[in-house]
Amino acid sequence: MHVVVKANCIISVPQKISTPVQHALDMIKRDHKKIFGCQPIQKTAAEQEATIIINYAKGEKECPTRPEAFCFRFQQNNEKWILNIIGYDDLGLIYGLLHYSQQYLGIDPFWFWGDLDVEQKSEVLIPTIDYVSKEQLVKYRGWFVNDEVCLIGWKEEYPPSKEVWYPVFEALLRCGGNMVIPGTDLPKSGIHAELAAEMGLWVTHHHAEPLGAEMFLRAYTGKKPSYKEHPDLFEALWTEAIQKQKDQNIVWVLSFRGQGDAPFWQYDPEFDTPEKRGAMISKVVHRQYEMLCDAIEQPVCSMALYGEISELYKQGHIHVPDEIMKIWADNGYGKMVSRRQGNENYRIPSLPTENDSGEHGIYYHVTFHDLQASNHLTMFPSPPQLIKEEIEKSFASGATSYLLLNSGNIRQHLYPLDLVSQLWRYGTVDVEVHLQQFIKRFYLGYHDEMTELYKSYFEKTIKYGQNEDDRAGEEFYHHNARKIIGHWLQDRENSPNEKLFWATGEIPFIDQVNWFLEKCLEGLIGWGNLLNKCHKLSLKLSTSDKQRFYDLFVSQVELHVSGCKGFISLCKGYKSFTSQHYPLAFVQVSESIWFYQESLQAFKKSEHGKWNHFYRADWLTNVKSTLYSLEALRKYIRMQGDSPDFFLWYKEYVMPETEKYIYLENTHRKPLSDDDLARKLSEKFLGKMEF
């Protein structure tokens, strides 16, 4: 026995339907159009005609009496079977509708982000077997859409419009999420927070924006951002934020950090001991909580134990009411320890102990931006097993009330985002089985080969330290290269670059350059091998699979390959420069430019169709800044021997011997461009044209 769903079927809805549920119904209508070629008909209280009936639960017999619960029940009417989707509340109905979409219509949670096709059908058969949803392990679970420059620059409109945010929030709901921080420090005039609430999500806040309030220095330009001196001004901002959001589903963030996500004592230096700092943070958090309780009955509150706040809490200097969930953070590389700050890396455990009362949760990164070695445009660099182990360890410690996942720009991180959604649903995941299922969802064929390439990716990342999570994302090749270039151009080579000590230790600058050279030479072997395998497999794939494979995987491998090659050539150029072989250094730095330009080409190849301009705002990894720095360096090197006429190297190394002593200056003195000269010199010094 089956419910038969066809084109033009009728969906019956309650008399009063909320905006979040209507958004979910709109998704179902769009899904039906993809499958059947037309939308279903939505009618109010049309049970007799309907194929699908949507309703809220009238009692425990229909649906479990717990938030977000839903069930499928079946009834027969005149020999026609009908599907009842019953929800305990709005989110229950939303999850029920999206479960129907995925389970029976075949719409993947990441259909938009992975450009996944759906099979068109004339009918869909649903077995008449009752279904009751299971409670998800984590109470509040969702994404922090952080460092979202690709989303910001993708379209012309700023702040990003509904066109950008809707597919983000839809994917999150389809992954079972119920909470979001919709962007980082975006103008309050933007649609992001309003749309998230409209779609049924709980909205929470950045830990540097307690209560979602306006930044002090934006509101009170020129005033010192000191709570001690201006408590009334701070509290006015908090009151405004509370009043604006009090009728929405908010997971309130209580905290006290400084302006721009920094320690508050940078602006208030009198707080010069851990005791003073902890006492002030405790005072502010208690005051924020008091203000919330005055305005809202039983507010849901959290406090991020992030950065310096985690250390002060661990030392016993911060006291948090038990009613406030304490949120522990990983180090940005997936390990539940304190994050590296510059060259300091204490790796203090960042999980609750048996002595920590109240509810707990975690803030976790599968994408990160730290100006050192993080992954922003490429996937999480450590093996996924680390994600599983660290999150499961967090759950075992009692941190199950909240899981906020840094999701970045979404598109580059679909695999780890999907992996974590399994963990917040069920509490555990089989990494091997999950990867196989993920590959089958995204690709039509060659699943075994594809699976092996994905697994290989996490084995190829550069291991820059002794810890298991010391693995490099693509920012490793850019931020550190620019630091080396700046140090070089500032003529500071007689002293080491302290900003590189986190990686190399305290060694002379030439040894620092050699350290990065060796790491990239070693890394290039693995990345180059993986890229070759990708190219071979791509030749076998269907047109759609080939493009998807490139967008979601191969392009990221190319960012690693081009990054390694570019950094290697830069380091070689420095060594030639120190040997005063300036023309060779000029060629090697030119090669570095050409290799890094391949990263931009990878962006372009992924910017097709709806993805046009997706990488336009690469402001964090910032490949163009690396190229800008290299261009300045190349001109500086050319000054060392080709100045003032910019003809000397051409004459010495390129001009035929028969011409060198009889040429006429008026016909032979047009300087070559840097690129043209470098290509000609490359033939001389390297024996071949590199490009």
Side-chain angles (χ1 to χ4, degrees):
M1 296 178 289
H2 296 87
V3 174
V4 181
V5 182
K6 295 185 177 182
N8 296 319
C9 72
I10 293 173
I11 297 180
S12 173
V13 301
Q15 291 282 356
K16 292 183 179 180
I17 188 168
S18 69
T19 301
V21 174
Q22 186 58 59
H23 275 297
L25 276 166
D26 291 342
M27 296 175 202
I28 299 303
K29 291 178 182 179
R30 185 196 57 217
D31 297 345
H32 268 241
K33 187 170 184 179
K34 289 180 185 177
I35 301 296
F36 303 115
C38 63
Q39 292 189 356
I41 301 167
Q42 178 179 326
K43 286 190 175 183
T44 302
E47 288 87 351
Q48 296 301 314
E49 310 169 69
T51 302
I52 300 172
I53 300 173
I54 311 298
N55 228 323
Y56 294 98
K58 298 181 178 66
E60 190 172 352
K61 288 185 179 180
E62 280 195 340
C63 187
T65 54
R66 56 175 165 78
E68 304 181 356
F70 70 88
C71 59
F72 289 1
R73 305 293 186 193
F74 297 88
Q75 67 185 71
Q76 196 171 18
N77 182 21
N78 295 327
E79 299 184 354
K80 173 186 174 183
W81 281 97
I82 298 169
L83 166 63
N84 289 271
I85 301 177
I86 303 167
Y88 174 78
D89 54 15
D90 279 354
L91 274 173
L93 276 180
I94 291 168
Y95 291 144
L97 287 163
L98 296 180
H99 181 80
Y100 159 76
S101 171
Q102 182 175 1
Q103 190 71 23
Y104 298 113
L105 301 183
I107 306 298
D108 192 271
F110 290 118
W111 69 269
F112 176 90
W113 298 96
D115 292 319
L116 298 177
D117 299 322
V118 293
E119 180 184 354
Q120 292 191 330
K121 300 176 183 179
S122 59
E123 64 180 22
V124 169
L125 303 180
I126 302 175
T128 55
I129 302 171
D130 287 354
Y131 176 84
V132 178
S133 66
K134 294 181 179 179
E135 187 172 9
Q136 300 196 57
L137 177 75
V138 179
K139 187 189 302 184
Y140 301 105
R141 56 204 178 270
W143 294 343
F144 179 7
V145 188
N146 187 27
D147 298 325
E148 69 283 13
V149 291
C150 292
L151 301 181
I152 289 172
W154 185 12
K155 308 298 180 181
E156 293 291 342
E157 189 174 348
Y158 180 81
S161 65
K162 181 178 178 179
E163 180 184 9
V164 171
W165 286 114
Y166 198 94
V168 173
F169 301 149
E170 177 183 339
L172 174 55
L173 286 165
R174 287 180 180 272
C175 286
N178 64 1
M179 175 180 69
V180 70
I181 301 181
T184 313
D185 194 30
L186 293 173
K188 302 297 181 186
S189 60
I191 195 176
H192 44 287
E194 177 186 346
L195 181 62
E198 273 188 16
M199 293 178 71
L201 291 163
W202 289 73
V203 174
T204 189
H205 312 119
H206 191 295
H207 53 256
E209 298 177 309
L211 307 181
E214 189 76 69
M215 286 277 190
F216 184 95
L217 285 179
R218 282 210 179 96
Y220 308 114
T221 304
K223 289 191 178 292
K224 181 180 178 181
S226 166
Y227 182 76
K228 182 179 179 181
E229 294 182 19
H230 302 294
D232 55 330
L233 298 183
F234 272 98
E235 291 182 17
L237 294 176
W238 299 338
T239 297
E240 180 184 4
I242 291 170
Q243 291 302 312
K244 182 179 179 181
Q245 303 169 87
K246 67 179 183 178
D247 297 325
Q248 300 175 7
N249 286 333
I250 303 292
V251 179
W252 300 91
V253 170
L254 286 59
S255 185
F256 190 53
R257 298 201 80 205
Q259 305 297 290
D261 200 12
F264 77 87
W265 51 85
Q266 288 188 4
Y267 292 89
D268 233 346
E270 70 174 276
F271 292 90
D272 54 1
T273 67
E275 291 81 7
K276 292 179 183 178
R277 295 166 178 174
M280 175 54 76
I281 292 171
S282 300
K283 177 181 178 179
V284 169
V285 168
H286 278 78
R287 178 60 184 139
Q288 291 169 348
Y289 184 61
E290 181 181 54
M291 293 172 67
L292 275 171
C293 290
D294 287 344
I296 303 167
E297 186 177 350
Q298 295 183 326
V300 179
C301 299
S302 67
M303 179 178 178
L305 303 179
Y306 191 69
E308 73 285 347
I309 292 180
S310 173
E311 295 169 13
L312 290 169
Y313 178 83
K314 281 283 189 181
Q315 293 164 4
H317 301 305
I318 293 178
H319 303 282
V320 184
D322 281 349
E323 294 83 359
I324 300 173
M325 287 185 290
K326 290 173 278 292
I327 311 304
W328 305 81
D330 75 311
N331 63 347
Y333 292 81
K335 197 71 176 175
M336 293 304 298
V337 296
S338 59
R339 64 169 289 191
R340 184 170 58 235
Q341 300 275 7
N343 294 322
E344 294 180 348
N345 194 14
Y346 298 121
R347 297 181 66 87
I348 299 169
S350 182
L351 281 176
T353 65
E354 293 180 359
N355 298 324
D356 290 308
S357 56
E359 291 186 75
H360 297 267
I362 62 171
Y363 169 39
Y364 199 80
H365 294 79
V366 294
T367 171
F368 192 43
H369 168 64
D370 71 348
L371 309 173
Q372 291 181 335
S374 47
N375 68 302
H376 173 63
L377 302 176
T378 58
M379 280 192 293
F380 186 77
S382 289
Q385 187 70 20
L386 184 142
I387 297 175
K388 166 190 165 70
E389 291 172 357
E390 290 299 298
I391 293 182
E392 288 182 358
K393 183 171 67 175
S394 302
F395 293 159
S397 73
T400 58
S401 291
Y402 176 112
L403 197 168
L404 182 66
L405 182 64
N406 195 309
S407 61
N409 296 295
I410 314 298
R411 189 186 182 204
Q412 301 95 335
H413 312 291
L414 302 184
Y415 169 53
L417 290 178
D418 196 70
L419 181 74
V420 175
S421 76
Q422 298 300 300
L423 284 159
W424 73 35
R425 285 180 192 269
Y426 309 115
T428 187
V429 66
D430 184 316
V431 172
E432 184 81 21
V433 171
H434 171 264
L435 177 58
Q436 292 171 355
Q437 293 172 342
F438 179 87
I439 295 298
K440 288 179 181 177
R441 283 163 48 195
F442 276 73
Y443 303 101
L444 297 174
Y446 299 95
H447 297 144
D448 291 343
E449 291 178 56
M450 197 81 71
T451 299
E452 289 306 310
L453 293 182
Y454 266 75
K455 287 163 67 175
S456 181
Y457 177 96
F458 306 102
E459 298 165 358
K460 304 303 183 186
T461 49
I462 290 175
K463 199 170 189 314
Y464 60 80
Q466 298 303 311
N467 303 299
E468 62 176 335
D469 53 300
D470 289 342
R471 288 185 173 272
E474 88 290 338
E475 291 200 345
F476 182 84
Y477 315 115
H478 293 272
H479 292 287
N480 302 297
R482 297 202 292 266
K483 288 168 189 171
I484 285 173
I485 294 168
H487 202 75
W488 180 353
L489 287 174
Q490 293 161 22
D491 196 24
R492 299 168 60 192
E493 302 149 78
N494 290 330
S495 60
N497 188 329
E498 294 181 3
K499 292 182 179 179
L500 300 176
F501 285 171
W502 67 269
T504 66
E506 298 184 25
I507 57 178
F509 184 63
I510 183 62
D511 294 334
Q512 290 181 309
V513 173
N514 279 325
W515 186 92
F516 281 102
L517 175 61
E518 292 302 319
K519 288 295 178 185
C520 289
L521 283 169
E522 181 182 344
L524 181 58
I525 296 171
W527 285 122
N529 180 264
L530 178 57
L531 185 57
N532 288 335
K533 290 181 178 179
C534 289
H535 289 159
K536 289 179 181 178
L537 178 58
S538 294
L539 296 174
K540 306 176 188 177
L541 300 178
S542 67
T543 301
S544 62
D545 269 7
K546 183 176 182 179
Q547 184 66 62
R548 187 176 305 109
F549 184 43
Y550 184 83
D551 294 344
L552 303 183
F553 190 82
V554 182
S555 62
Q556 300 191 22
V557 177
E558 288 185 349
L559 289 181
H560 282 284
V561 169
S562 57
C564 275
K565 288 182 175 180
F567 210 165
I568 288 167
S569 292
L570 168 64
C571 294
K572 287 181 176 179
Y574 179 74
K575 295 179 73 173
S576 296
F577 185 87
T578 58
S579 300
Q580 297 185 334
H581 197 335
Y582 301 128
L584 179 57
F586 176 81
V587 169
Q588 289 164 329
V589 169
S590 296
E591 283 190 310
S592 180
I593 291 170
W594 301 331
F595 285 129
Y596 278 118
Q597 284 172 341
E598 292 179 0
S599 297
L600 297 181
Q601 293 167 16
F603 294 162
K604 279 296 178 188
K605 287 173 66 177
S606 287
E607 291 183 321
H608 53 86
K610 70 188 183 192
W611 302 113
N612 193 32
H613 300 308
F614 188 73
Y615 289 98
R616 171 165 49 188
D618 167 36
W619 300 324
L620 298 184
T621 297
N622 212 327
V623 176
K624 288 184 178 178
S625 280
T626 305
L627 289 166
Y628 179 87
S629 301
L630 284 163
E631 291 282 4
L633 176 61
R634 180 164 69 169
K635 294 182 187 306
Y636 169 76
I637 294 172
R638 192 169 181 181
M639 287 286 184
Q640 306 307 309
D642 205 31
S643 175
D645 301 315
F646 303 104
F647 180 73
L648 300 177
W649 287 348
Y650 176 82
K651 177 183 176 183
E652 182 174 358
Y653 299 108
V654 178
M655 181 179 282
E657 287 293 326
T658 56
E659 296 293 319
K660 281 185 180 181
Y661 307 106
I662 59 172
Y663 71 90
L664 297 176
E665 292 189 1
N666 65 317
T667 58
H668 285 76
R669 292 293 292 273
K670 179 184 177 182
L672 293 175
S673 69
D674 289 341
D675 267 347
D676 288 342
L677 178 61
R679 286 187 169 91
K680 291 183 178 296
L681 292 177
S682 176
E683 292 180 335
K684 174 72 176 181
F685 296 125
L686 304 179
K688 62 181 186 306
M689 286 287 286
E690 292 295 307
F691 292 87

